[in-house]
Amino acid sequence: MERHENERTFKIQNGFGRNTLTRVTQSTSRLLTSHILEDPSLILTPVGTMRNFLIALTIQFLVVPITYARGESPHRIFAGTGQGVARTTPYPSGQPSGPAGTSIIGNPFGIEFQPHHVLITSVDDHCVYRSTLDGKDFTRIVGNGLKGYTGDGGPAAEATFNWPHEVRADKKGNLYIADTRNHVIRKVSGATGIVTTLAGDGSPGFGGDGKRGTQVRFQQPHSVVLDGTGGLLVADTVNHRIRRIDLNTGIVQTISGTGEKKLPVDGNPARNSPLSGPRSLAVDDQSIWIAMREGNSIWRIDRKTSTIHHIAGTGKKGYAGDGGPPKAATFRGPKGLVLDHQGRILVVDTENHALRRIDLSQNLVETVLGGNKSKVTFPMKRPHGIAFKKNFGYLIADSEFHRVILGN
């Protein structure tokens, strides 16, 4: 290979464990970072006599790939560049906006599909973004980029939030947001774009069952999900309860949890059973599915009998059990879950940096992304939210790598 004075040859290893030789030439037109942010796991190693040559990411280079094997993994980056966000002033009107793949999204958490769009919350700048499914149009729709609790009664894009962990959308386009560190649930009207507080008084604590609005108190509600029967379920995480807001009356009731931080007994009535950090919720016609963060396990409430049942995880922290029965597996702080079109449960095993899949028909749990599959898929760092859409796949928030990954 011909080598010029301003060239260096490097061996690049990506998260798939594939090596490739790449010629790096000095340039003033691009930053090396613009090429590696697509995959923060890239490791650049000088070849041969160049092993002591150090690359500073602030030096400008042009990477000209000779080959780059991406492997056969059915995953790709949908949104984010790998760069975080730190705002000290509000975003200008209409910004940020652009293609999802080149847009900065700092610490994405919650993900929700609409018929033709996907919604993504971010906690670095306390916003909600909306993207077309092809990723060509990605724009901020909620939050002005600053942390706070202001703006009720006005446009959602001018309001402030404090760690909006999750968002859900109904058929009318109304958005329901778990404004976690403001300890409230907020609603954005699909017709007007106006934001209001649906429930919660803004102070941490517990209270208000049988009441509505500011007479209710939550403590770090992390997850919300529409139950399909006119209610919004809330994972009132630090209160170790699941609560329901009647969207017609506004009345809030606890449907599971006693406030005691403890795992329930399999088969007991849900209402009088303790919970251990309910962190993420999903629903189908038969069940309410629960990921318990402190409980390191997955449970479900039978919607017909109102009993609670153990699905996966021993309750102990760990990363074991792939290839075996779900109840014998260990998880570490799961913080997201969704069901796919086959009824399998996708669990975001956050502190194991992995996405795991539970197939109850096969009595099997396996890792499908990150974790012990990082070398053949993508590595992840503390992923959180996940959503699934048939004929599209799943999107998972790879939170601390500041990106959203698409998989099947």
Side-chain angles (χ1 to χ4, degrees):
M1 179 186 299
E2 182 181 3
R3 181 180 296 162
H4 300 284
E5 286 188 7
N6 65 340
E7 292 182 350
R8 300 292 186 271
T9 301
F10 292 86
K11 180 170 67 176
I12 295 181
Q13 183 182 47
N14 65 6
F16 300 92
R18 302 297 182 90
N19 293 330
T20 180
L21 291 179
T22 296
R23 183 184 302 118
V24 180
T25 61
Q26 194 169 10
S27 169
T28 58
S29 62
R30 299 185 188 179
L31 288 172
L32 176 63
T33 50
S34 68
H35 294 272
I36 69 167
L37 281 174
E38 180 187 2
D39 188 347
S41 68
L42 287 177
I43 302 170
L44 283 77
T45 305
V47 174
T49 60
M50 306 312 299
R51 62 184 178 274
N52 295 320
F53 183 81
L54 301 178
I55 296 180
L57 294 183
T58 55
I59 298 176
Q60 291 180 319
F61 286 89
L62 172 63
V63 178
V64 184
I66 297 171
T67 60
Y68 190 92
R70 284 299 255 171
E72 298 177 355
S73 172
H75 300 91
R76 68 174 179 86
I77 296 170
F78 177 81
T81 65
Q83 183 178 345
V85 178
R87 298 291 304 179
T88 58
T89 59
Y91 284 117
S93 178
Q95 296 182 22
S97 180
T102 58
S103 295
I104 296 172
I105 181 164
N107 246 313
F109 266 52
I111 301 178
E112 167 79 333
F113 280 109
Q114 294 180 296
H116 305 292
H117 295 88
V118 61
L119 304 171
I120 303 170
T121 75
S122 62
V123 300
D124 273 6
D125 60 0
H126 316 281
C127 291
V128 180
Y129 291 85
R130 182 175 62 202
S131 175
T132 52
L133 295 180
D134 60 10
K136 293 181 178 179
D137 184 10
F138 181 89
T139 188
R140 175 180 59 91
I141 60 168
V142 174
N144 71 5
L146 301 182
K147 180 173 69 175
Y149 183 20
T150 63
D152 274 5
E158 298 176 9
T160 57
F161 292 74
N162 192 353
W163 283 59
H165 270 244
E166 205 161 85
V167 60
R168 300 295 184 185
D170 66 18
K171 294 180 179 179
K172 295 181 179 180
N174 299 311
L175 306 185
Y176 302 90
I177 300 169
D179 194 355
T180 299
R181 296 193 179 182
N182 281 327
H183 313 287
V184 297
I185 307 302
R186 298 172 83 178
K187 176 183 177 180
V188 178
S189 168
T192 66
I194 299 298
V195 62
T196 55
T197 295
L198 180 64
D201 67 357
S203 297
F206 173 76
D209 271 7
K211 299 180 181 180
R212 61 170 65 87
T214 57
Q215 296 176 306
V216 178
R217 186 164 285 184
F218 300 98
Q219 191 163 357
Q220 293 192 21
H222 280 78
S223 182
V224 288
V225 64
L226 293 157
D227 67 5
T229 60
L232 182 75
L233 302 178
V234 179
D236 195 358
T237 305
V238 180
N239 282 325
H240 307 290
R241 291 175 167 91
I242 297 171
R243 304 171 79 181
R244 181 181 187 270
I245 304 173
D246 187 307
L247 295 177
N248 292 316
T249 66
I251 297 295
V252 174
Q253 296 286 359
T254 295
I255 66 166
S256 185
T258 62
E260 183 181 8
K261 180 183 174 182
K262 183 180 178 181
L263 287 177
V265 174
D266 195 353
N268 274 6
R271 177 61 186 87
N272 299 319
S273 292
L275 303 175
S276 184
R279 177 58 177 77
S280 184
L281 304 174
V283 297
D284 60 21
D285 291 340
Q286 290 78 40
S287 303
I288 300 168
W289 302 87
I290 311 164
M292 295 210 200
R293 181 179 66 187
E294 282 81 5
N296 302 295
S297 52
I298 308 301
W299 296 72
R300 77 172 183 93
I301 295 173
D302 187 300
R303 299 182 71 175
K304 183 177 181 179
T305 64
S306 297
T307 51
I308 192 164
H309 302 273
H310 181 210
I311 299 301
T314 65
K316 296 181 179 180
K317 291 182 181 180
Y319 188 11
D322 278 3
K327 289 182 180 180
T330 53
F331 297 79
R332 191 183 300 271
K335 297 181 182 178
L337 83 168
V338 72
L339 273 66
D340 70 10
H341 64 297
Q342 298 182 47
R344 299 174 299 185
I345 311 161
L346 299 170
V347 178
V348 183
D349 195 359
T350 300
E351 307 305 337
N352 284 324
H353 315 287
L355 176 63
R356 301 173 79 181
R357 184 168 60 203
I358 298 169
D359 189 334
L360 295 178
S361 69
Q362 300 294 321
N363 196 32
L364 181 72
V365 62
E366 60 182 336
T367 296
V368 295
L369 175 64
N372 59 26
K373 294 290 182 67
S374 292
K375 290 186 177 181
V376 294
T377 59
F378 274 90
M380 296 191 293
K381 187 176 182 183
R382 302 194 73 242
H384 282 78
I386 188 170
F388 180 87
K389 186 178 180 67
K390 188 177 181 181
N391 299 323
F392 183 90
Y394 61 78
L395 290 174
I396 181 170
D398 187 4
S399 302
E400 294 190 9
F401 276 155
H402 308 294
R403 61 188 184 181
V404 175
I405 297 174
L406 169 64
N408 289 294

